[in-house]
Amino acid sequence: MCGIVGYIGSNEKKNIILSGLKELEYRGYDSAGISVLSNNILSTFKTTGKLINLENKCKDFNSSGFGVAIGHTRWATHGKATEVNAHPHFGESSSVVHNGIIENFLEVKQLLESRGKIFLSQTDTEVIVHLFEENLKIYPNHLEAFKNTINSLIGSYAILLITKSAPDRIFYAKNGSPLLIGASKDEIYFASSSTPLIGLIDRVCYLEDGDIGVMDTKSFDNLKNIQPMGGEKISSQKDGYRYFMEKEIYEQHKVLKDTLRNRILDDDIILDLPDNFEDDISRIYICACGTSYNAGLSAKYLFEREAKIKTDVVIASEFRYADPIMEKDTLFIVISQSGETADTLEALKLANKNNLKTLAICNVDNSSIVREAKYSLLTRVGIEKGVASTKAFSSQVILLWMLGIYIAKKKSLISIEQVRTQVSNIKASIEATKVNACIHDRLKKISKRYLHGHGFFFIGRDIFYPLALEGALKLKEISYLHADGYPGGEMKHGPIALADSELFCVSLMPKHLLYDKIKNNIQELSARDATICIVAQEYNDIADDIVLIDKFNSYMEEFFAMMIVLQLLALEISIRLGNDVDMPRNLAKSVTVE
Ligand code: M6R
């Protein structure tokens, strides 16, 4: 989603901002722009499409000496993805970038228009710069003018503003959208996530909601909660794979071992949680969006069957406004790959307000969700660049599975012997994510049969139902074909009306869980002439197509082996359709607006 980078210093500002924006590129955007203020000249460049267009547009521009600069990648919310709607937005002598949504922008705009201001764009953001310039006429102190501007806004925002009459500083505000400030020797950097700043700064401050201020090269030390920030820039490469998504599918069996690292000792599970963590927990509430929600739904089956703990799972955007009943004995778990998803973050804040024990399962340390949660466990699978989540999903399921067993053990709900069995099952399940080259070849081949039709149903039962949801989500995200996930037994309650030979049913048929039940459900679809693609361990004659996985001894190994099949199937269909696998249309990696 939208990305922000800002810089104060004497190095080539254009290059710093452009390379910062490049680090945020994988998150998804549809236009981009930069403003550089140096030697009393404020220059702004904006383009639609990829950053390369912006680079070309400003290739002859250089800014020597000291100055300030801001840049932005935009994922359209208000107004189409046009050049004029791209950020930065400018007034007579100031320029602004913004992530989030200004909810009262229409009122502010009308007020400013009544005072003669002319608006160029359809965005909510443009009001900020005009209001600031109006306020500057009333409050000669820049910070006061900026604060008054921010205080008139309702919504969520991370904002950077530069202005010609204060050429050595950047004004900033944060509420609901992430923003951080970093410092190295004589330079100050801003960004909406730490990725663009790794290797450039040695200290960082993650701003809190409500922070409004101004920064020059001398004022960094006045900030609260400054932390050291080390690390070298590790630029994630495709390593010979065609897409990041493909690489991320293939590396799951390796990186999932990092999810386990130091958490399994002598066939026991040790998690970095306080001793009495399990006290007062008699039920679990899981809240997340998208793939993370599907991982949460998978965990419900594991928590209830294997760990004997009552669990509810809810989509974060639904939870927030449903006046949910929050009982004190609840462990409230949020799951988020990015740690920045706005709905999940707000749901977490609500749970904290209600004094629940909150725990984040996340892949990004120091993200807003990790910082907001009372406890957190990191999935540790490295940066995920493909917009379609793959290794994030598998690591979330593995970590949640371990958490369930850990709590059950501490509450004496299961025996030490059962813990041992689960641990060996977890290890075997990670092995099951190793891609079998023959299976991948088979998927490359059969994918050509699934490029048309009027839609896909992915079906499964029990924990294979959330896996079916995840398979459908993967496919629709990157193929743009209609796909739905359904519990196998539910098809005859409506969806089967769609069955004909142009309806593709990807059916998950594990040998070790409800085999006969799902077989019946598939037969019902086959009898109505639906085209059936079965994923199973053994040959079956109901199938029009069959993808055989290796032989496994447990349903969770089958779960992870089938997950790989679904991820690869989506990938191969998307490639055949000529889509941008890693950056599919309309999607963003980190969804920071509600
Ligand atoms: O970063 P999060 O896990 O909180 O993101 C939640 C969803 O936006 C995300 O899982 C989305 O559904 C992915 N693109 C799925 O592939």
Side-chain angles (χ1 to χ4, degrees), residues 457-460 505-509 518 522 525 532-536:
F457 275 116
F458 285 67
I459 61 166
C505 290
V506 181
S507 311
L508 306 177
M509 203 176 177
I518 188 74
I522 300 169
L525 283 158
I532 310 286
C533 176
I534 286 180
V535 189

Side-chain angles (χ1 to χ4, degrees), residues 293-308:
Y293 169 78
N294 294 339
L297 211 50
S298 311
K300 173 185 166 72
Y301 290 91
L302 292 167
F303 284 171
E304 297 201 334
R305 174 173 297 119
E306 312 294 355
K308 319 286 178 220

Side-chain angles (χ1 to χ4, degrees), residues 111-313:
L111 179 87
L112 290 166
E113 278 175 334
S114 72
R115 292 186 196 159
K117 282 281 172 198
I118 310 272
F119 280 78
L120 301 177
S121 76
Q122 289 99 46
T123 65
D124 50 339
T125 302
E126 196 180 345
V127 297
I128 304 169
V129 70
H130 295 311
L131 187 60
F132 171 75
E133 292 191 344
E134 280 296 287
N135 280 332
L136 259 189
K137 293 177 191 158
I138 309 167
Y139 308 97
N141 177 298
H142 285 86
L143 183 56
E144 219 175 318
F146 183 70
K147 280 186 174 164
N148 272 282
T149 304
I150 299 301
N151 291 335
S152 312
L153 306 176
I154 299 172
S156 63
Y157 44 78
I159 294 170
L160 297 185
L161 181 143
I162 55 179
T163 189
K164 278 170 88 172
S165 49
D168 58 346
R169 61 200 71 176
I170 293 182
F171 298 85
Y172 62 86
K174 174 197 164 3
N175 186 45
S177 294
L179 187 61
L180 46 117
I181 311 180
S184 69
K185 219 165 138 245
D186 301 318
E187 294 169 310
I188 297 291
Y189 291 82
F190 290 83
S192 48
S193 89
S194 59
T195 326
L197 306 189
I198 295 169
L200 297 176
I201 58 170
D202 46 40
R203 285 162 299 147
V204 67
C205 170
Y206 292 89
L207 294 174
E208 300 290 340
D209 282 351
D211 283 350
I212 308 177
V214 62
M215 182 64 35
D216 58 23
T217 49
K218 301 207 170 53
S219 34
F220 184 79
D221 289 329
N222 302 334
L223 293 167
K224 288 180 286 176
N225 301 327
I226 296 173
Q227 303 172 23
M229 168 125 165
E232 275 172 39
K233 205 172 219 63
I234 310 164
S235 52
S236 184
Q237 303 296 333
K238 290 185 196 145
D239 296 340
Y241 292 97
R242 295 165 293 174
Y243 294 94
F244 280 111
M245 181 186 177
E246 187 178 32
K247 177 190 165 211
E248 287 156 4
I249 294 171
Y250 268 78
E251 72 189 11
Q252 287 175 100
H253 73 282
K254 285 192 236 142
V255 294
L256 289 173
K257 291 190 178 125
D258 281 333
T259 310
L260 251 57
R261 189 169 22 91
N262 299 333
R263 288 172 173 161
I264 298 220
L265 215 72
D266 300 331
D267 288 338
D268 190 11
I269 296 173
I270 317 284
L271 295 180
D272 194 9
L273 293 170
D275 266 352
N276 56 352
F277 181 76
E278 71 286 356
D279 287 0
D280 319 319
I281 298 175
S282 45
R283 56 188 296 232
I284 291 179
Y285 217 116
I286 301 181
C287 197
C289 303
T291 285
S292 297
Y293 169 78
N294 294 339
L297 211 50
S298 311
K300 173 185 166 72
Y301 290 91
L302 292 167
F303 284 171
E304 297 201 334
R305 174 173 297 119
E306 312 294 355
K308 319 286 178 220
I309 308 168
K310 181 175 167 10
T311 306
D312 290 305
V313 191

Side-chain angles (χ1 to χ4, degrees), residues 509 518-520 522-523 526 532 534 540-545:
M509 203 176 177
I518 188 74
K519 189 172 173 196
N520 290 340
I522 300 169
Q523 248 146 0
S526 174
I532 310 286
I534 286 180
N540 192 302
D541 60 8
I542 338 165
D544 294 287
D545 258 330

Side-chain angles (χ1 to χ4, degrees), residues 394-421:
S394 52
S395 62
Q396 290 164 349
V397 177
I398 290 282
L399 189 49
L400 287 159
W401 186 3
M402 290 167 70
L403 174 70
I405 301 303
Y406 173 83
I407 296 175
K409 174 196 73 171
K410 301 261 286 179
K411 288 178 87 66
S412 305
L413 297 171
I414 57 173
S415 67
I416 298 296
E417 204 37 57
Q418 284 170 311
V419 175
R420 263 195 210 119
T421 310

Side-chain angles (χ1 to χ4, degrees), residues 412-481:
S412 305
L413 297 171
I414 57 173
S415 67
I416 298 296
E417 204 37 57
Q418 284 170 311
V419 175
R420 263 195 210 119
T421 310
Q422 292 291 327
V423 166
S424 86
N425 216 338
I426 289 169
K427 288 180 179 165
S429 296
I430 292 179
E431 288 308 311
T433 63
K434 200 165 193 170
V435 176
N436 173 330
C438 298
I439 297 178
H440 193 173
D441 283 346
R442 168 117 181 96
L443 289 163
K444 278 184 185 156
K445 226 183 200 161
I446 69 167
S447 56
K448 64 171 173 285
R449 301 211 270 272
Y450 296 98
L451 307 176
H452 61 290
H454 58 72
F456 285 75
F457 275 116
F458 285 67
I459 61 166
R461 296 190 69 129
D462 202 277
I463 193 170
F464 291 83
Y465 159 53
L467 184 58
L469 287 177
E470 177 58 10
L473 179 61
K474 281 305 71 100
L475 184 69
K476 69 186 139 207
E477 280 189 293
I478 57 175
S479 72
Y480 320 143
L481 297 170

